[in-house]
Structures are given as C-alpha cells and as structure tokens.
Amino acid sequence: MTSTVPASLTRTAEGAALQAVFLDMDGTLVDTEGFWWDVEVEVFADLGHRLDEAWREVVVGGPMTRSAGYLMEVTGADVTLDELTVLLNDRFEKRIGRGVPLMPGAARLLAELRRHEIPTALVSASHRRIIDRVLDSVGRHHFALTVAGDEVTRTKPHPEPYLTAARGFGADPRLCAVVEDTATGVAAAEAAGCRVVAVPSVSPIAPAAGRVVVGSLEEVDLAFLRKLVN
C-alpha cells in the first residue's frame, strides 16, 4: 500500500457525510479488462492451449491467483502458478506500455474529486508493478492512497482491500463510496460495509440494497456519490 496522507481522515466539505471515495482500476477507470483477456489468450496459446470465450466471465475482476488458477485447471496447462503469474504480468505490462485508455467520464470524475479535496484511493486486485505502470498514465496525483492485490493477505472478493483503504484514511467504511465494474469487486466493497456504484464492464450486475448500477462513469459525479452515503 502506498499513501501520501496521514492516517487521520482528511476533512471533506462542511456537512458532507461522504468521507472517502475508493476506485477500482481495470474496467472501472481504465479500459483494460479486455487487455487482460487478450493477454491470457496469448499466453495460453504459447503454452499450447486455446481459451474458451465462456471462461472470460469467470476470471474477470478476480485476483491473479484465482483467475490464473482457474485457467490452469480447465486447460491442464503444464505450468506452475508462480510461472504463469510472471508470464501474465510481463505480457500485460508490455501491453499497457503502448498506452492505457481511460473509461468515459473517468478523467472528469478524478479531476472533480481532486478539486474538492475528497480523499481518494485506488483499490485494485492487480499487482503493484501493474498499478504503478497504469498510474504513470492516469496520474498519481489523483490518489492519496493506493492498495494493490499483492499487498494484502486476502484480495477481492474479500473485504480486506477496502477495509485497508478505509483504515488508511481513518474513515468509516459505511461512509465511503466505492466504484467497481465486476461482481467480485462489488462483493468486496459490500462486505467491507461500503456503498457501491457498479459500472458493469463485461458481465451484468443487478441493483441491490446499498448499491446503484449505472451504465457509465459519465453518470457519476461528486453529488451522486455524496447522495449515495447520505
């Protein structure tokens, strides 16, 4: 975890209940969920296996260990999890080196949160090396804190990543808003007690108590997020 703020909560606007905003990375802020699948297809092709498109919904949004482990199991690939993790991260890092496209509305939302000094964290199941490369494109200055999947004991769908982010700000998870694009990430945020905005990228996500589903980040602004936790 990296942080540029003290553990105590940075104050938000007077009277606002919202204490912090936590944003997922792949498929939420940056249009890279497709990149991950392309990389998985390429790596397994090199190993002599063809991935079924139906498996994509199973692995989307999951931690590397779960996604890679599942694909190893269904293909029977002769590779260890550690070896496969290196292959996937190496290939993905090379892919994003050619540029990382932002999701529609992401730049505006990040700028608004920064302008109003809302404590904002990036919380991803991706490894630190991948997050740091993406931050080179998105802008580190937008996030006072970042949490990577290989920096927690249990990553999404476990609540630990979001509880870690809340502790980093000294915030009450119940007064934090999370933006996620997958069922795995939504489950992690809700288990942490956060309010959730789901912006589905690959698989649909149904509305539920404490959760709002929108079609794009273009529908999300600070007023929207404040209303979510009030």
Side-chain angles (χ1 to χ4, degrees), residues 84-101:
L84 182 57
T85 296
V86 171
L87 291 173
L88 290 171
N89 275 327
D90 284 349
R91 187 73 63 93
F92 187 78
E93 191 170 2
K94 183 180 296 184
R95 179 70 179 271
I96 62 178
R98 302 198 293 267
V100 181

Side-chain angles (χ1 to χ4, degrees), residues 17-162:
L18 179 67
Q19 292 187 343
V21 174
F22 305 145
L23 301 163
D24 174 54
M25 188 175 76
D26 296 299
T28 299
L29 285 180
V30 291
D31 192 7
T32 50
E33 286 291 11
F35 286 12
W36 276 114
W37 179 247
D38 291 344
V39 163
E40 287 160 347
V41 169
E42 292 169 6
V43 167
F44 274 88
D46 291 344
L47 295 171
H49 299 275
R50 181 176 180 178
L51 298 188
D52 190 314
E53 184 70 22
W55 299 337
R56 182 176 182 178
E57 290 194 14
V58 179
V59 300
V60 65
M64 177 72 73
T65 52
R66 191 197 74 184
S67 299
Y70 173 81
L71 293 175
M72 288 171 56
E73 180 180 353
V74 294
T75 62
D78 184 17
V79 62
T80 68
L81 182 59
D82 287 344
E83 291 170 341
L84 182 57
T85 296
V86 171
L87 291 173
L88 290 171
N89 275 327
D90 284 349
R91 187 73 63 93
F92 187 78
E93 191 170 2
K94 183 180 296 184
R95 179 70 179 271
I96 62 178
R98 302 198 293 267
V100 181
L102 286 171
M103 298 296 286
R108 174 200 47 76
L109 178 59
L110 288 171
E112 183 180 18
L113 294 173
R114 180 172 173 79
R115 185 167 64 252
H116 289 273
E117 299 183 345
I118 303 300
T120 303
L122 184 69
V123 182
S124 176
S126 290
H127 288 188
R128 170 56 56 188
R129 60 181 286 197
I130 300 301
I131 288 179
D132 285 344
R133 178 59 70 91
V134 171
L135 286 174
D136 289 339
S137 296
V138 175
R140 299 173 186 274
H141 60 284
H142 291 298
F143 306 99
L145 183 152
T146 60
V147 180
D150 56 339
E151 295 173 338
V152 292
T153 303
R154 294 159 296 187
T155 189
K156 304 175 187 179
H158 195 276
E160 183 180 346
Y162 284 112

Side-chain angles (χ1 to χ4, degrees), residues 150-203:
D150 56 339
E151 295 173 338
V152 292
T153 303
R154 294 159 296 187
T155 189
K156 304 175 187 179
H158 195 276
E160 183 180 346
Y162 284 112
L163 293 174
T164 299
R167 283 196 301 271
F169 284 139
D172 182 342
R174 296 171 298 177
L175 298 178
C176 297
V178 171
V179 185
E180 274 279 2
D181 72 303
T182 67
T184 298
V186 167
E190 291 180 342
C194 303
R195 300 297 184 179
V196 179
V197 180
V199 191
S201 61
V202 176
S203 302

